[in-house]
Coordinates of all heavy atoms in Angstrom, one line a residue:
Chain A
H857 N 25.2 18.5 2.0 CA 25.7 18.5 3.4 C 24.7 19.3 4.3 O 24.8 20.6 4.3 CB 27.1 19.2 3.4 CG 27.9 18.8 4.5 ND1 29.3 19.0 4.6 CD2 27.6 18.2 5.7 CE1 29.8 18.6 5.7 NE2 28.8 18.1 6.4
V858 N 23.8 18.6 5.0 CA 22.7 19.3 5.7 C 23.1 19.8 7.0 O 22.8 20.9 7.4 CB 21.5 18.3 5.8 CG1 20.4 19.0 6.5 CG2 21.0 17.9 4.4
L859 N 23.9 19.0 7.8 CA 24.4 19.4 9.1 C 25.9 19.5 9.0 O 26.6 18.6 8.6 CB 24.0 18.4 10.2 CG 22.5 18.3 10.5 CD1 22.3 17.3 11.6 CD2 21.8 19.6 10.8
R860 N 26.4 20.7 9.4 CA 27.9 20.9 9.2 C 28.6 21.2 10.5 O 29.1 22.3 10.7 CB 28.1 22.2 8.2 CG 27.5 22.0 6.9 CD 27.4 23.3 6.1 NE 26.8 23.1 4.8 CZ 27.6 23.0 3.7 NH1 28.9 23.1 3.8 NH2 27.0 22.8 2.5
G861 N 28.5 20.3 11.4 CA 29.2 20.4 12.7 C 28.3 21.1 13.7 O 28.4 22.3 13.9
I862 N 27.4 20.4 14.4 CA 26.6 21.0 15.4 C 27.0 20.5 16.7 O 27.3 19.3 17.0 CB 25.1 20.4 15.2 CG1 24.6 20.8 13.8 CG2 24.2 20.9 16.3 CD1 24.0 22.1 13.6
D863 N 27.2 21.5 17.7 CA 27.4 21.2 19.1 C 26.4 21.9 19.9 O 26.2 23.1 19.8 CB 28.8 21.7 19.5 CG 29.9 21.0 18.8 OD1 30.4 20.0 19.3 OD2 30.4 21.5 17.7
F864 N 25.6 21.1 20.7 CA 24.8 21.8 21.6 C 24.2 20.8 22.6 O 24.3 19.6 22.5 CB 23.7 22.6 20.9 CG 22.4 22.0 20.7 CD1 21.2 22.7 21.2 CD2 22.2 20.8 20.0 CE1 20.0 22.2 21.0 CE2 20.9 20.3 19.8 CZ 19.8 21.0 20.3
T865 N 23.6 21.3 23.7 CA 23.1 20.5 24.8 C 21.7 20.9 25.2 O 21.3 22.1 24.9 CB 24.0 20.6 26.0 OG1 24.0 22.0 26.4 CG2 25.4 20.2 25.8
V866 N 21.0 20.0 25.7 CA 19.7 20.3 26.3 C 19.7 19.8 27.8 O 20.1 18.6 28.0 CB 18.5 19.6 25.6 CG1 17.2 20.0 26.2 CG2 18.5 20.0 24.1
E867 N 19.5 20.7 28.7 CA 19.5 20.3 30.1 C 18.2 19.7 30.5 O 17.1 20.0 29.9 CB 19.8 21.5 31.0 CG 21.2 22.2 30.7 CD 22.3 21.3 31.0 OE1 22.2 20.5 32.0 OE2 23.4 21.4 30.4
Q868 N 18.2 18.9 31.6 CA 17.0 18.4 32.2 C 16.0 19.5 32.5 O 16.4 20.5 33.1 CB 17.4 17.7 33.5 CG 16.3 17.2 34.3 CD 15.8 15.8 33.8 OE1 16.7 15.0 33.5 NE2 14.5 15.6 33.7
G869 N 14.8 19.4 32.0 CA 13.7 20.3 32.3 C 13.7 21.6 31.4 O 12.8 22.4 31.6
E870 N 14.6 21.6 30.5 CA 14.7 22.8 29.6 C 13.8 22.7 28.4 O 13.6 21.6 27.9 CB 16.2 22.9 29.1 CG 16.6 24.3 28.7 CD 18.0 24.4 28.2 OE1 18.6 23.3 28.0 OE2 18.5 25.5 28.1
V871 N 13.3 23.8 28.0 CA 12.5 23.8 26.7 C 13.3 24.6 25.7 O 13.6 25.8 25.9 CB 11.1 24.5 26.9 CG1 10.4 24.6 25.6 CG2 10.3 23.7 27.9
V872 N 13.7 23.9 24.6 CA 14.6 24.6 23.6 C 13.8 24.6 22.3 O 13.3 23.6 21.8 CB 15.9 23.8 23.4 CG1 16.7 24.5 22.3 CG2 16.6 23.7 24.7
C873 N 13.7 25.8 21.7 CA 13.0 25.9 20.4 C 14.1 26.1 19.4 O 15.0 26.9 19.5 CB 12.0 27.1 20.4 SG 10.5 26.7 21.2
V874 N 14.0 25.4 18.3 CA 14.9 25.5 17.1 C 14.2 26.2 16.0 O 13.1 25.7 15.6 CB 15.5 24.2 16.7 CG1 16.5 24.4 15.6 CG2 16.1 23.4 17.8
I875 N 14.7 27.4 15.6 CA 14.1 28.1 14.5 C 15.1 28.3 13.4 O 16.3 28.0 13.6 CB 13.5 29.5 14.9 CG1 14.7 30.3 15.4 CG2 12.5 29.3 16.0 CD1 14.3 31.8 15.7
G876 N 14.6 28.6 12.2 CA 15.5 28.8 11.1 C 14.7 28.6 9.8 O 13.7 28.0 9.8
P877 N 15.3 29.1 8.7 CA 14.6 29.0 7.4 C 14.5 27.5 7.0 O 15.3 26.7 7.5 CB 15.5 29.7 6.4 CG 16.8 29.9 7.1 CD 16.6 29.8 8.6
S878 N 13.6 27.2 6.0 CA 13.5 25.8 5.6 C 14.7 25.4 4.9 O 15.4 26.2 4.2 CB 12.3 25.6 4.7 OG 12.4 26.4 3.6
G879 N 15.2 24.1 5.1 CA 16.4 23.7 4.5 C 17.6 24.0 5.4 O 18.8 23.7 5.0
S880 N 17.4 24.6 6.6 CA 18.6 24.9 7.4 C 19.1 23.7 8.2 O 20.1 23.8 8.8 CB 18.2 26.0 8.4 OG 17.1 25.6 9.2
G881 N 18.3 22.6 8.2 CA 18.8 21.4 8.9 C 18.2 21.2 10.2 O 18.6 20.3 10.9
K882 N 17.2 22.0 10.6 CA 16.7 21.9 12.0 C 15.9 20.6 12.2 O 16.1 19.9 13.2 CB 15.8 23.1 12.3 CG 14.8 23.5 11.3 CD 14.3 24.9 11.7 CE 13.0 25.2 10.9 NZ 13.1 25.0 9.5
S883 N 15.1 20.1 11.2 CA 14.4 18.9 11.3 C 15.4 17.7 11.3 O 15.2 16.7 12.0 CB 13.4 18.7 10.2 OG 12.2 19.4 10.4
T884 N 16.4 17.8 10.5 CA 17.4 16.7 10.4 C 18.1 16.6 11.8 O 18.3 15.5 12.3 CB 18.4 17.0 9.3 OG1 17.7 17.2 8.1 CG2 19.4 15.9 9.1
L885 N 18.4 17.7 12.4 CA 19.1 17.7 13.7 C 18.2 17.0 14.7 O 18.6 16.1 15.4 CB 19.3 19.2 14.2 CG 19.7 19.3 15.6 CD1 21.1 18.6 15.9 CD2 19.8 20.8 16.0
L886 N 16.9 17.3 14.7 CA 15.9 16.7 15.6 C 15.9 15.2 15.4 O 15.9 14.4 16.3 CB 14.5 17.3 15.4 CG 13.5 17.1 16.5 CD1 13.9 18.0 17.7 CD2 12.1 17.4 16.0
R887 N 15.9 14.8 14.1 CA 15.8 13.4 13.8 C 17.1 12.6 14.1 O 17.0 11.4 14.1 CB 15.4 13.2 12.3 CG 13.9 13.7 12.0 CD 13.7 13.9 10.5 NE 13.9 12.7 9.8 CZ 13.0 11.7 9.6 NH1 11.8 11.8 10.1 NH2 13.2 10.7 8.9
C888 N 18.2 13.3 14.2 CA 19.4 12.7 14.6 C 19.4 12.4 16.1 O 20.1 11.5 16.6 CB 20.6 13.6 14.3 SG 21.1 13.5 12.6
V889 N 18.6 13.1 16.9 CA 18.6 12.9 18.4 C 18.0 11.6 18.7 O 18.4 11.0 19.7 CB 17.8 14.1 19.1 CG1 17.7 13.8 20.5 CG2 18.5 15.4 18.8
N890 N 17.1 11.0 17.9 CA 16.7 9.6 18.2 C 17.1 8.7 17.1 O 16.5 7.6 16.9 CB 15.2 9.5 18.5 CG 14.3 9.8 17.3 OD1 14.8 10.2 16.2 ND2 13.0 9.7 17.4
L891 N 18.1 9.2 16.3 CA 18.7 8.4 15.3 C 17.7 7.8 14.2 O 17.9 6.8 13.6 CB 19.5 7.2 15.9 CG 21.0 7.2 15.6 CD1 21.6 8.5 16.2 CD2 21.7 6.0 16.1
L892 N 16.6 8.6 13.9 CA 15.8 8.3 12.7 C 16.7 8.6 11.5 O 16.5 8.0 10.5 CB 14.6 9.1 12.7 CG 13.4 8.6 13.6 CD1 12.2 9.5 13.4 CD2 13.1 7.2 13.3
E893 N 17.6 9.6 11.7 CA 18.6 9.8 10.7 C 20.0 9.5 11.3 O 20.2 9.8 12.5 CB 18.7 11.3 10.2 CG 17.4 11.8 9.6 CD 17.1 11.2 8.3 OE1 17.9 10.4 7.8 OE2 15.9 11.4 7.8
V894 N 20.8 8.7 10.6 CA 22.1 8.3 11.2 C 23.1 9.3 10.7 O 23.3 9.4 9.5 CB 22.4 6.9 10.8 CG1 23.8 6.5 11.4 CG2 21.3 5.9 11.1
P895 N 23.8 10.0 11.6 CA 24.8 11.0 11.2 C 26.1 10.3 10.7 O 26.4 9.2 11.1 CB 25.1 11.8 12.5 CG 24.7 10.8 13.6 CD 23.6 10.0 13.1
Q896 N 26.8 11.0 9.8 CA 28.0 10.4 9.3 C 29.2 10.6 10.2 O 30.1 9.8 10.3 CB 28.4 11.0 7.9 CG 27.8 10.4 6.7 CD 26.4 11.0 6.4 OE1 26.1 12.0 6.9 NE2 25.7 10.4 5.5
Q897 N 29.0 11.6 11.0 CA 30.1 12.0 11.9 C 29.5 12.7 13.1 O 28.5 13.3 13.1 CB 31.1 12.9 11.2 CG 32.4 13.1 11.8 CD 33.2 14.2 11.2 OE1 33.1 14.4 10.0 NE2 34.0 14.9 12.0
G898 N 30.2 12.5 14.3 CA 29.8 13.2 15.5 C 29.1 12.2 16.4 O 28.8 11.0 16.1
Q899 N 28.7 12.7 17.6 CA 28.1 11.8 18.6 C 26.8 12.5 19.2 O 26.8 13.7 19.3 CB 29.1 11.6 19.8 CG 30.2 10.7 19.3 CD 31.4 10.8 20.3 OE1 31.9 11.9 20.4 NE2 31.8 9.8 20.9
V900 N 25.9 11.7 19.6 CA 24.7 12.1 20.3 C 24.6 11.4 21.6 O 24.5 10.1 21.6 CB 23.4 11.8 19.5 CG1 22.2 12.3 20.2 CG2 23.5 12.5 18.1
F901 N 24.7 12.1 22.7 CA 24.6 11.5 24.0 C 23.2 11.7 24.6 O 22.8 12.9 24.7 CB 25.7 12.0 25.0 CG 27.1 11.7 24.6 CD1 27.8 12.6 23.8 CD2 27.7 10.5 25.0 CE1 29.1 12.3 23.4 CE2 29.0 10.2 24.7 CZ 29.7 11.1 23.8
V902 N 22.6 10.7 25.1 CA 21.3 10.9 25.8 C 21.5 10.3 27.2 O 21.9 9.1 27.3 CB 20.1 10.1 25.1 CG1 18.9 10.3 25.9 CG2 20.0 10.7 23.7
R903 N 21.4 11.1 28.2 CA 21.7 10.8 29.6 C 23.1 10.1 29.7 O 23.3 9.1 30.3 CB 20.7 9.8 30.1 CG 19.4 10.5 30.4 CD 18.4 9.4 30.9 NE 17.4 10.1 31.8 CZ 16.3 9.4 32.1 NH1 16.1 8.2 31.8 NH2 15.4 10.1 32.9
G904 N 24.1 10.7 28.9 CA 25.4 10.2 29.0 C 25.8 9.0 28.1 O 26.9 8.7 28.0
E905 N 24.7 8.4 27.5 CA 25.0 7.3 26.7 C 25.1 7.7 25.2 O 24.2 8.4 24.7 CB 23.8 6.2 26.9 CG 24.1 4.9 26.2 CD 22.9 4.0 26.3 OE1 21.8 4.4 26.7 OE2 23.1 2.8 26.0
D906 N 26.2 7.2 24.6 CA 26.4 7.6 23.2 C 25.5 6.7 22.3 O 25.8 5.5 22.1 CB 27.8 7.4 22.8 CG 28.1 7.8 21.4 OD1 27.2 8.3 20.7 OD2 29.2 7.6 20.9
I907 N 24.4 7.3 21.8 CA 23.5 6.4 21.0 C 24.0 6.2 19.6 O 23.4 5.4 18.8 CB 22.0 7.0 21.0 CG1 21.9 8.4 20.3 CG2 21.5 7.1 22.4 CD1 20.5 8.8 20.0
T908 N 25.0 6.9 19.2 CA 25.6 6.6 17.8 C 26.5 5.5 17.9 O 27.0 5.0 16.9 CB 26.3 7.9 17.3 OG1 27.3 8.3 18.2 CG2 25.4 9.0 17.0
D909 N 26.9 5.0 19.1 CA 27.7 3.9 19.3 C 27.0 2.6 18.8 O 25.9 2.4 19.1 CB 28.1 3.8 20.8 CG 29.2 2.7 21.0 OD1 29.6 2.0 20.0 OD2 29.6 2.5 22.2
R910 N 27.8 1.7 18.1 CA 27.2 0.5 17.6 C 26.7 -0.4 18.7 O 25.7 -1.2 18.5 CB 28.2 -0.3 16.8 CG 28.5 0.3 15.4 CD 29.7 -0.4 14.8 NE 29.6 -0.3 13.4 CZ 29.0 -1.2 12.6 NH1 28.5 -2.3 13.2 NH2 29.0 -1.1 11.3
D911 N 27.3 -0.3 19.9 CA 26.9 -1.2 21.0 C 25.7 -0.7 21.8 O 25.2 -1.4 22.7 CB 28.1 -1.5 21.9 CG 29.2 -2.2 21.2 OD1 28.9 -3.0 20.3 OD2 30.4 -2.0 21.6
C912 N 25.3 0.5 21.5 CA 24.2 1.1 22.2 C 22.9 0.4 21.9 O 22.6 0.0 20.7 CB 24.1 2.6 21.9 SG 22.5 3.3 22.3
H913 N 22.1 0.1 22.9 CA 20.8 -0.5 22.6 C 19.8 0.6 22.2 O 19.2 1.3 23.0 CB 20.3 -1.2 23.9 CG 19.1 -2.2 23.6 ND1 17.9 -1.7 23.1 CD2 19.0 -3.5 23.6 CE1 17.1 -2.8 22.9 NE2 17.8 -3.8 23.2
L914 N 19.7 0.8 20.9 CA 19.0 1.9 20.4 C 17.5 1.9 20.8 O 16.9 3.0 21.1 CB 19.1 2.0 18.8 CG 18.6 3.2 18.1 CD1 19.2 4.5 18.7 CD2 18.8 3.1 16.6
D915 N 16.9 0.7 20.7 CA 15.4 0.7 21.0 C 15.1 1.2 22.4 O 14.1 1.9 22.7 CB 14.9 -0.7 20.8 CG 14.9 -1.1 19.3 OD1 14.6 -0.2 18.5 OD2 15.1 -2.3 19.0
S916 N 16.0 0.8 23.4 CA 15.7 1.2 24.8 C 16.0 2.7 24.9 O 15.4 3.4 25.7 CB 16.4 0.4 25.8 OG 17.8 0.3 25.4
A917 N 17.0 3.2 24.1 CA 17.3 4.7 24.2 C 16.1 5.4 23.6 O 15.7 6.4 24.2 CB 18.5 5.0 23.4
R918 N 15.5 4.9 22.6 CA 14.3 5.6 21.9 C 13.1 5.6 22.8 O 12.3 6.5 22.7 CB 14.0 4.9 20.6 CG 14.9 5.3 19.5 CD 14.5 4.5 18.3 NE 15.2 5.0 17.1 CZ 15.5 4.3 16.0 NH1 15.1 3.0 16.0 NH2 16.1 4.8 15.0
Q919 N 13.0 4.6 23.7 CA 11.8 4.6 24.6 C 11.8 5.8 25.5 O 10.7 6.3 26.0 CB 11.9 3.4 25.6 CG 11.6 2.1 24.8 CD 12.1 0.9 25.6 OE1 12.1 0.9 26.9 NE2 12.4 -0.2 25.0
Q920 N 13.0 6.4 25.8 CA 13.0 7.6 26.7 C 12.8 8.9 25.9 O 12.8 9.9 26.5 CB 14.4 7.7 27.3 CG 14.9 6.4 27.9 CD 16.3 6.5 28.3 OE1 16.8 7.5 28.8 NE2 17.1 5.4 28.2
I921 N 12.7 8.8 24.6 CA 12.6 10.0 23.7 C 11.3 9.9 23.0 O 11.2 9.1 22.0 CB 13.8 10.0 22.7 CG1 15.1 9.9 23.5 CG2 13.8 11.3 22.0 CD1 16.3 9.7 22.5
G922 N 10.3 10.8 23.4 CA 9.1 10.8 22.6 C 9.2 11.7 21.4 O 10.0 12.7 21.4
M923 N 8.6 11.3 20.3 CA 8.7 12.1 19.1 C 7.3 12.4 18.6 O 6.5 11.5 18.4 CB 9.5 11.4 18.1 CG 9.6 12.2 16.8 SD 11.3 12.3 16.2 CE 11.2 13.4 14.8
V924 N 7.1 13.7 18.2 CA 5.8 14.1 17.6 C 6.2 14.7 16.2 O 7.1 15.5 16.1 CB 5.2 15.2 18.5 CG1 3.9 15.8 17.8 CG2 4.8 14.7 19.8
F925 N 5.5 14.1 15.2 CA 5.8 14.4 13.8 C 4.9 15.5 13.2 O 3.8 15.7 13.7 CB 5.7 13.2 12.9 CG 6.6 12.0 13.4 CD1 6.2 11.2 14.4 CD2 7.8 11.9 12.7 CE1 7.0 10.1 14.7 CE2 8.6 10.8 13.1 CZ 8.2 9.9 14.1
Q926 N 5.4 16.1 12.2 CA 4.6 17.1 11.5 C 3.3 16.5 10.9 O 2.2 17.1 11.0 CB 5.4 17.7 10.3 CG 4.7 18.9 9.6 CD 5.6 19.5 8.5 OE1 6.8 19.2 8.4 NE2 5.0 20.3 7.7
Q927 N 3.4 15.3 10.4 CA 2.3 14.7 9.8 C 1.6 13.7 10.7 O 0.9 12.7 10.3 CB 2.7 13.9 8.5 CG 3.3 14.8 7.4 CD 2.3 15.8 6.9 OE1 1.1 15.6 7.0 NE2 2.8 16.9 6.3

Side-chain angles (χ1 to χ4, degrees):
Chain A
H857 203 164
V858 179
L859 296 180
R860 298 164 179 265
I862 302 276
D863 293 274
F864 98 122
T865 58
V866 181
E867 299 294 331
Q868 176 83 44
E870 204 181 10
V871 177
V872 179
C873 283
V874 184
I875 62 171
S878 61
S880 59
K882 47 194 196 310
S883 282
T884 306
L885 169 63
L886 197 75
R887 291 163 60 85
C888 281
V889 175
N890 68 355
L891 242 62
L892 282 184
E893 302 294 352
V894 182
Q896 274 89 10
Q897 197 189 326
Q899 290 159 300
V900 179
F901 295 90
V902 177
R903 285 179 156 167
E905 190 186 9
D906 181 3
I907 64 167
T908 56
D909 187 359
R910 283 170 154 271
D911 295 332
C912 163
H913 196 295
L914 188 55
D915 289 327
S916 50
R918 279 174 173 157
Q919 289 162 30
Q920 313 169 38
I921 308 171
M923 177 132 185
V924 175
F925 299 86
Q926 184 177 349
Q927 300 295 340

